[in-house]
Amino acid sequence: MKERTPLVAGNWKMLGDAASNTALLDRMRSAFDGGNFARIQALICPPFPYLALAADRLRSSPVVWGAQDVSDQAEGAFTGEVSANMLRDLGCTHAIVGHSERRGMHGETDTVVASKAHRLIAAGICPIICVGESLAQRQSHLTEAVLAHQIDAVVGVVKGGAAVIAYEPIWAIGSGRAATPEMAQAAHAFIRARLQAGGAPADQIRVIYGGSVGAASASALFVQPDIDGALVGGASRNADDFVAICESATQAKF
Ligand code: 13P
């Protein structure tokens, strides 16, 4: 059994409406209520407007819920922003920060990502900090340099250990082309070593993989020693696929 509890997180991105999200939450809840998922942690991250719905439908189920982003500010005149304390009020246990879609489309820098992670930890919420290289960076052999830079920016914040790193190579997201287990393992081992070098408790920090994870690709990823779960996009919009990925994580041994 993995020494770190595997985390399988669904990132719903900006998808669904009240009816479809309610149906999906209810299907996931009944699968988890009827199954044996005690060895893993399962998390759903719906869009902000459906967090209260998730809290309502998942309450006292084994599945927890979280947000896809948070403000880097504590409170104040920041129109449109959502604070870490507000997420805590909604029962969020986790929140994603630094997703490549936010770094790329909304100009989030490493400094902003570190501030967001800091706000979450201060509110008692576990940040899921996304890192990962573009295809051009990988092809130029810059993967480790990019990861080193992104990890170094947050290592001071995650020293307490209550954080998750998500390795999401940008070229694998939504492409249907997941990294090979060996490629992902190499990146995860590098990330863990970098956390260790920066003084963070690397053995405790879960490093999860994201990018075209599906029911078919999950098992081979989860048996890798440094892969502690998955951040699932598209496949988390299908209850059967998400539950199958969770089952693979439950069975992961090394
Ligand atoms: P896909 O699983 O759809 O590739 O998305 C991955 C992702 O971006 C999760 O945060």
Side-chain angles (χ1 to χ4, degrees), residues 30 35 54 69-70 82 94 98-99 109 114 134 139 150 170 181 221:
S30 60
D69 189 25
V70 69
V82 175
H94 297 72
H99 192 283
T109 62
S134 67
Q139 287 172 338
Q150 291 175 330
I170 297 168
L221 289 161

Side-chain angles (χ1 to χ4, degrees), residues 11 13 99 101 168 172-175 210-213 231-235:
N11 175 8
K13 307 195 178 183
H99 192 283
E101 287 153 16
E168 295 208 306
I173 296 175
S175 66
S212 296
V213 176
L231 182 53
V232 185

Side-chain angles (χ1 to χ4, degrees), residues 41-145:
Q41 189 171 37
L43 164 74
I44 298 295
C45 298
F48 285 132
Y50 303 110
L51 280 171
L53 178 72
D56 181 46
R57 308 312 275 203
L58 298 176
R59 187 165 291 118
S60 66
S61 93
V63 185
V64 293
W65 57 94
Q68 298 173 17
D69 189 25
V70 69
S71 174
D72 63 337
Q73 302 294 324
E75 66 172 349
F78 302 103
T79 302
E81 292 291 286
V82 175
S83 75
N85 286 349
M86 293 171 186
L87 297 182
R88 188 181 53 200
D89 280 345
L90 283 161
C92 292
T93 54
H94 297 72
I96 299 166
V97 294
H99 192 283
S100 60
E101 287 153 16
R102 296 213 58 86
R103 290 180 190 258
M105 297 179 213
H106 302 275
E108 283 187 16
T109 62
D110 283 332
T111 309
V112 168
V113 173
S115 300
K116 290 184 173 196
H118 165 74
R119 294 284 176 210
L120 289 168
I121 290 169
I125 296 172
C126 179
I128 299 176
I129 303 167
C130 301
V131 298
E133 80 288 358
S134 67
L135 185 60
Q137 288 165 333
R138 176 163 281 270
Q139 287 172 338
S140 308
H141 306 287
L142 289 172
T143 299
E144 291 193 349

Side-chain angles (χ1 to χ4, degrees), residues 183-200:
M183 217 183 248
Q185 166 58 26
H188 283 228
F190 178 82
I191 289 167
R192 201 176 301 287
R194 196 79 189 182
L195 288 168
Q196 182 84 45

Side-chain angles (χ1 to χ4, degrees), residues 1-2 6 39 219 222-223 227 247-254:
M1 205 165 78
K2 296 255 185 193
R39 279 191 190 161
S219 304
F222 293 156
V223 295
I227 300 184
E247 278 166 355
S248 297
T250 298
Q251 285 151 21
K253 288 190 173 71
F254 65 90

